[in-house]
Amino acid sequence: MVRPGALKALVDFMDTHPEAGIAGSRLEDPDGTPQESAFRFHNLLTELDFGWRTGFISKLLANWAAAPPISQETCQTDWVAGASMIVRREVFEKIGLMDEAYFMYCEEMDFCLQANKAGWSCWYVPESRVVHLVGQSSGVTDTKKPAKRLPTYWFDSRRRYFIKNYGLVYTALTDVSWASGFAAWRVRRVLQGKPDGDPPQLLRDFVLNSVFFKGGKIEKSKNF
């Protein structure tokens, strides 16, 4: 659901910020609770932080966390969620459309990265508010329901993003960083008696879909 004035807020922002190529809305639950909608580009450090999940590492890498604290003010960001974004026509003319080889996930991050490389900035505009029903398309990202096993295309999209933009060696490093950290987290979770909120068989699926098993090809992701 689009809140009143949401589209106008995005258009007004773009009209007054000619340097902006992309702007995204504040996504929220039906009750108005804000969702993470503005992010940093994923890289080796974001993968390290996600995999290890320790307070020390998270504090050390706070400036590189994939999802920074939700801002109440308009701010520049690396990329915004594709659920609600406005894109200047000149951006499409410069870099083309979104990469259709992604079936789902990572496509808007990749698009914003290409725009960034072409000199266009990306912004988060919280005055534009849009209700986002998380996980309705795939059924695997709804945080209000028990986690489901991630589909192969999720891993395909992640692998494609890293290989396409950073190369095979860098992707291998991110895979090792994530997998080793996540394995350590799984052991620590058991020892500390913490709840298990991860998707089933996540470590196994991640390893089997890493570049070490799938190689460096970035073929088009398969759908359901």
Side-chain angles (χ1 to χ4, degrees), residues 122-153:
C122 180
W123 292 76
Y124 171 64
V125 184
E127 290 81 8
S128 172
R129 299 170 56 196
V130 173
V131 174
H132 178 220
L133 302 179
V134 180
Q136 296 304 300
S137 296
S138 66
V140 299
T141 56
D142 189 345
T143 57
K144 296 179 175 59
K145 295 180 180 180
K148 294 183 178 181
R149 188 174 181 181
L150 294 181
T152 299
Y153 62 76

Coordinates of all heavy atoms in Angstrom, one line a residue, residues 122-153:
C122 N 22.5 7.7 -5.0 CA 21.3 7.0 -4.6 C 20.9 7.6 -3.2 O 21.7 7.8 -2.4 CB 21.5 5.5 -4.5 SG 20.1 4.5 -4.0
W123 N 19.6 7.8 -3.0 CA 19.1 8.4 -1.8 C 17.9 7.7 -1.2 O 17.2 7.0 -1.9 CB 18.7 9.9 -2.1 CG 19.8 10.7 -2.5 CD1 20.5 10.8 -3.7 CD2 20.5 11.7 -1.7 NE1 21.5 11.7 -3.7 CE2 21.5 12.3 -2.4 CE3 20.3 12.1 -0.3 CZ2 22.4 13.3 -1.9 CZ3 21.1 13.1 0.2 CH2 22.2 13.7 -0.6
Y124 N 17.8 7.8 0.1 CA 16.7 7.3 0.9 C 15.9 8.5 1.4 O 16.4 9.4 2.0 CB 17.3 6.6 2.1 CG 16.3 6.1 3.2 CD1 15.3 5.2 2.8 CD2 16.3 6.6 4.5 CE1 14.3 4.8 3.8 CE2 15.4 6.2 5.4 CZ 14.4 5.3 5.1 OH 13.5 4.9 6.0
V125 N 14.6 8.4 1.0 CA 13.6 9.5 1.3 C 12.5 9.0 2.2 O 11.5 8.5 1.7 CB 13.1 10.1 0.0 CG1 12.2 11.3 0.2 CG2 14.2 10.4 -1.0
P126 N 12.7 9.1 3.5 CA 11.7 8.6 4.4 C 10.3 9.3 4.4 O 9.4 8.7 4.9 CB 12.4 8.7 5.8 CG 13.3 9.8 5.6 CD 13.8 9.7 4.2
E127 N 10.3 10.5 3.8 CA 9.0 11.2 3.7 C 8.0 10.4 2.8 O 6.8 10.5 2.9 CB 9.2 12.6 3.2 CG 9.8 13.6 4.1 CD 11.4 13.4 4.1 OE1 11.9 12.6 3.3 OE2 12.0 14.0 5.0
S128 N 8.6 9.6 1.9 CA 7.8 8.7 1.1 C 7.7 7.4 1.8 O 8.6 6.6 2.0 CB 8.6 8.5 -0.3 OG 7.9 7.5 -1.1
R129 N 6.5 7.1 2.2 CA 6.2 5.9 3.0 C 5.3 4.9 2.2 O 4.3 5.2 1.7 CB 5.5 6.3 4.3 CG 6.3 7.2 5.2 CD 5.5 7.7 6.3 NE 4.9 6.7 7.2 CZ 3.9 6.9 8.0 NH1 3.4 8.1 8.2 NH2 3.5 5.8 8.7
V130 N 5.8 3.6 2.2 CA 5.1 2.6 1.4 C 5.1 1.3 2.3 O 6.1 0.9 2.9 CB 5.8 2.3 0.1 CG1 5.2 1.1 -0.6 CG2 5.8 3.5 -0.8
V131 N 3.9 0.7 2.4 CA 3.7 -0.5 3.2 C 4.3 -1.7 2.3 O 3.9 -1.8 1.2 CB 2.2 -0.8 3.5 CG1 2.1 -2.2 4.1 CG2 1.7 0.3 4.4
H132 N 5.2 -2.4 2.9 CA 5.8 -3.5 2.2 C 5.5 -4.8 3.0 O 5.9 -5.0 4.1 CB 7.3 -3.3 2.2 CG 8.1 -4.4 1.6 ND1 9.3 -4.8 2.1 CD2 7.9 -5.1 0.5 CE1 9.8 -5.8 1.3 NE2 8.9 -6.0 0.3
L133 N 4.9 -5.7 2.3 CA 4.5 -7.0 2.9 C 5.7 -8.0 2.6 O 5.8 -8.6 1.6 CB 3.2 -7.6 2.3 CG 2.0 -6.7 2.5 CD1 0.8 -7.3 1.9 CD2 1.8 -6.4 4.0
V134 N 6.6 -8.1 3.6 CA 7.9 -8.8 3.4 C 7.7 -10.2 3.1 O 6.9 -10.9 3.8 CB 8.8 -8.6 4.7 CG1 10.1 -9.4 4.5 CG2 9.0 -7.1 4.9
G135 N 8.4 -10.7 2.1 CA 8.4 -12.2 1.8 C 7.2 -12.7 1.1 O 7.1 -13.9 0.9
Q136 N 6.4 -11.8 0.6 CA 5.2 -12.3 -0.1 C 5.5 -12.9 -1.5 O 4.8 -13.8 -2.0 CB 4.2 -11.2 -0.3 CG 3.6 -10.7 1.0 CD 3.0 -11.7 1.9 OE1 2.1 -12.4 1.5 NE2 3.6 -11.9 3.1
S137 N 6.6 -12.5 -2.1 CA 6.9 -13.0 -3.4 C 7.6 -14.4 -3.4 O 7.4 -15.3 -4.2 CB 7.9 -12.0 -4.2 OG 7.2 -10.8 -4.4
S138 N 8.5 -14.5 -2.4 CA 9.3 -15.8 -2.3 C 8.9 -16.7 -1.1 O 9.1 -17.9 -1.1 CB 10.8 -15.4 -2.2 OG 11.0 -14.8 -0.9
G139 N 8.4 -16.1 -0.1 CA 8.0 -16.8 1.1 C 9.1 -17.2 2.0 O 9.0 -18.0 2.9
V140 N 10.3 -16.6 1.8 CA 11.5 -17.0 2.5 C 12.1 -15.9 3.4 O 13.0 -16.1 4.1 CB 12.6 -17.6 1.7 CG1 12.1 -18.9 1.0 CG2 13.1 -16.6 0.6
T141 N 11.6 -14.7 3.2 CA 12.2 -13.6 4.0 C 11.3 -12.9 5.0 O 11.6 -11.9 5.6 CB 12.7 -12.5 3.0 OG1 11.5 -12.1 2.2 CG2 13.8 -13.0 2.1
D142 N 10.2 -13.5 5.3 CA 9.2 -13.0 6.3 C 9.8 -13.3 7.6 O 9.8 -14.5 8.1 CB 7.8 -13.6 6.1 CG 6.8 -12.9 6.9 OD1 7.2 -12.2 7.9 OD2 5.6 -13.2 6.7
T143 N 10.2 -12.3 8.3 CA 10.8 -12.4 9.7 C 9.8 -12.8 10.7 O 10.2 -13.1 11.9 CB 11.6 -11.2 10.1 OG1 10.7 -10.0 10.0 CG2 12.7 -10.9 9.1
K144 N 8.5 -12.6 10.4 CA 7.5 -12.9 11.4 C 7.0 -14.4 11.4 O 6.1 -14.7 12.1 CB 6.3 -12.0 11.2 CG 6.7 -10.5 11.4 CD 5.5 -9.6 11.1 CE 5.8 -8.1 11.5 NZ 6.9 -7.6 10.7
K145 N 7.6 -15.2 10.5 CA 7.3 -16.6 10.4 C 8.5 -17.4 10.6 O 9.6 -16.9 10.4 CB 6.6 -16.9 9.0 CG 5.3 -16.2 8.8 CD 4.7 -16.5 7.5 CE 3.3 -15.9 7.3 NZ 2.7 -16.2 5.9
P146 N 8.4 -18.7 10.9 CA 9.6 -19.5 11.0 C 10.4 -19.5 9.7 O 9.8 -19.6 8.6 CB 9.0 -20.9 11.3 CG 7.7 -20.6 12.0 CD 7.2 -19.4 11.3
A147 N 11.7 -19.5 9.8 CA 12.5 -19.4 8.6 C 12.4 -20.7 7.8 O 12.3 -21.8 8.3 CB 14.0 -19.3 9.0
K148 N 12.3 -20.4 6.4 CA 12.2 -21.5 5.5 C 13.6 -21.7 4.8 O 14.4 -20.8 4.8 CB 11.2 -21.3 4.4 CG 9.7 -21.2 5.0 CD 8.8 -21.0 3.8 CE 7.3 -21.0 4.3 NZ 6.4 -20.8 3.2
R149 N 13.8 -22.9 4.3 CA 15.0 -23.2 3.6 C 15.1 -22.3 2.3 O 14.2 -22.1 1.6 CB 15.0 -24.7 3.1 CG 16.4 -25.1 2.5 CD 16.3 -26.6 2.2 NE 17.6 -27.1 1.7 CZ 17.8 -28.4 1.3 NH1 16.8 -29.2 1.5 NH2 18.9 -28.7 0.8
L150 N 16.3 -21.7 2.1 CA 16.5 -20.8 1.0 C 16.5 -21.5 -0.3 O 17.2 -22.5 -0.4 CB 17.8 -20.0 1.2 CG 17.8 -19.0 2.4 CD1 19.1 -18.3 2.5 CD2 16.6 -18.0 2.4
P151 N 15.9 -20.9 -1.3 CA 15.9 -21.6 -2.6 C 17.3 -21.4 -3.3 O 18.0 -20.5 -3.0 CB 14.8 -20.8 -3.4 CG 14.8 -19.5 -2.7 CD 15.1 -19.7 -1.3
T152 N 17.5 -22.2 -4.3 CA 18.8 -22.2 -5.0 C 19.0 -20.8 -5.7 O 20.2 -20.3 -5.7 CB 18.9 -23.2 -6.1 OG1 18.7 -24.5 -5.5 CG2 20.2 -23.2 -6.9
Y153 N 17.9 -20.2 -6.2 CA 18.1 -18.9 -6.8 C 18.6 -17.8 -5.9 O 19.2 -16.8 -6.4 CB 16.9 -18.5 -7.6 CG 15.6 -18.2 -6.7 CD1 15.5 -17.1 -6.0 CD2 14.6 -19.1 -6.7 CE1 14.4 -16.8 -5.2 CE2 13.5 -18.9 -6.0 CZ 13.4 -17.7 -5.2 OH 12.2 -17.5 -4.4

